[in-house]
Amino acid sequence: MVSVTPICAFSDNYIWAVVGERKACATKPCAVIDPGDATPVLAFLQQYDLALTQIFLTHHHADHIGGVRRLLEQYSATVYGPADPRMPAGTMPLAEGDEVALLGAPYRVIEVPAHTRSHIAYYGEGRLFCGDTLFSVGCGRLFEGSAADMQRALDKLAALPDDTLVYCAHEYTASNCRFATLVEPGNIALQQRTEAVERLRRRGEPTLPSTIGQEKATNPFMRTREIGVRQAAAAHDRSAHEPAEVLAVIRQWKDRC
Ligand code: ZN
Ligand code: FE
């Protein structure tokens, strides 16, 4: 059985480690997603006696790629990521619809430009590794794309099965819940998620993975067609009607919070 473990990095990043099965007497293979820092990854690999074979990158930000060079000094891993000159040298470039084997299991590449213009996500085995595009109860900041880009990206992710496990790259859920509650104070699913998240954080546990179904029920950025979210956006900007316009208003609102 494959296992997925969060490796904590910096103040709130998760580097997801996928650990495969041991073959014969060799060490277990491991793939990591978005290793922004090599130090905690190297410690994890050593602690569990793993061989790093693959690195998957979602976008070029330093907190997602910063550890790649040092990891490659110690392991001969293949690096995958978007086609973007800002990615580490030697990255195998991937595009929409490409299939890539993650420890042998087929994953599909989904282009989700918005947080950055070349951001990609990986979907396979009922799992989604989505970097800084979709957060639990939130979404990434719009550094290089528009609200319409983010709406399109989130629509693509919303089309995945509801039970898809969502592995985001940051632990932002508690503060996202506080903002989402301003947008949709009457959302019962959001109230329940907020309570569950507070319990997990009190115990120091991750709030991830989430699921696509949970996000569709609680995440205001995935609910821009819901009447409550549209009304909340319209209270800030009466011209917000279309989903992308609603998303733009609540994204700007959140950026000010
Ligand atoms: Zn980022
Ligand atoms: Fe990030």
Side-chain angles (χ1 to χ4, degrees):
M1 268 295 283
V2 163
S3 68
V4 184
T5 307
I7 301 172
C8 294
F10 310 116
S11 57
D12 50 31
N13 280 73
Y14 289 134
I15 300 165
W16 293 102
V18 183
V19 177
E21 280 167 65
R22 190 187 310 277
K23 296 220 172 66
C25 53
T27 52
K28 286 185 182 180
C30 178
V32 293
I33 293 94
D34 284 352
D37 187 3
T39 303
V41 177
L42 291 169
F44 178 85
L45 295 169
Q46 218 158 49
Q47 185 180 353
Y48 297 101
D49 191 25
L50 307 169
L52 182 69
T53 57
Q54 293 180 303
I55 298 172
F56 293 84
L57 305 172
T58 62
H59 67 295
H60 73 277
H61 285 161
D63 63 313
H64 298 254
I65 68 169
V68 170
R69 213 174 57 196
R70 257 184 75 211
L71 290 173
L72 292 181
E73 285 168 10
Q74 301 212 29
Y75 295 93
S76 57
T78 311
V79 185
Y80 302 89
D84 187 316
R86 299 171 295 183
M87 301 305 289
T91 299
M92 298 263 296
L94 298 171
E96 176 78 21
D98 281 353
E99 214 174 72
V100 57
L102 193 161
L103 299 184
Y107 274 67
R108 180 159 56 85
V109 174
I110 305 175
E111 289 183 349
V112 284
H115 176 67
T116 67
R117 67 171 177 271
S118 63
H119 199 304
I120 59 173
Y122 300 91
Y123 171 68
E125 298 184 289
R127 302 192 183 102
L128 174 72
F129 295 103
C130 51
D132 286 357
T133 296
L134 171 62
F135 291 124
S136 186
V137 201
C139 74
R141 281 176 187 264
L142 299 172
F143 288 123
E144 297 178 5
S146 65
D149 291 328
M150 184 57 85
Q151 182 64 52
R152 267 193 296 278
L154 295 181
D155 282 345
K156 277 187 184 179
L157 303 184
L160 299 174
D162 277 355
D163 62 356
T164 302
L165 297 170
V166 177
Y167 295 87
C168 321
H170 289 270
E171 179 59 69
Y172 288 158
T173 319
S175 64
N176 286 345
C177 282
R178 286 191 285 277
F179 173 74
T181 302
L182 300 176
V183 181
E184 279 193 294
N187 181 336
I188 307 285
L190 174 60
Q191 289 164 13
Q192 290 167 345
R193 175 82 172 131
T194 303
E195 285 165 22
V197 163
E198 283 169 359
R199 276 196 301 276
L200 286 166
R201 295 311 292 157
R202 270 199 297 274
R203 296 202 299 261
E205 289 176 29
T207 63
L208 304 172
S210 173
T211 66
I212 288 292
Q214 210 163 32
E215 294 312 313
K216 290 194 321 200
T218 58
N219 188 329
F221 298 95
M222 279 206 149
R223 295 170 57 77
T224 51
R225 293 174 181 87
E226 298 292 327
I227 184 71
V229 176
R230 293 173 57 186
Q231 283 173 345
H236 281 253
D237 181 345
R238 290 173 63 94
S239 68
H241 300 293
E242 293 300 314
E245 295 166 349
V246 171
L247 193 148
V249 170
I250 57 174
R251 184 64 261 181
Q252 285 162 15
W253 177 6
K254 185 165 194 298
D255 290 345
R256 289 194 303 270
C257 274

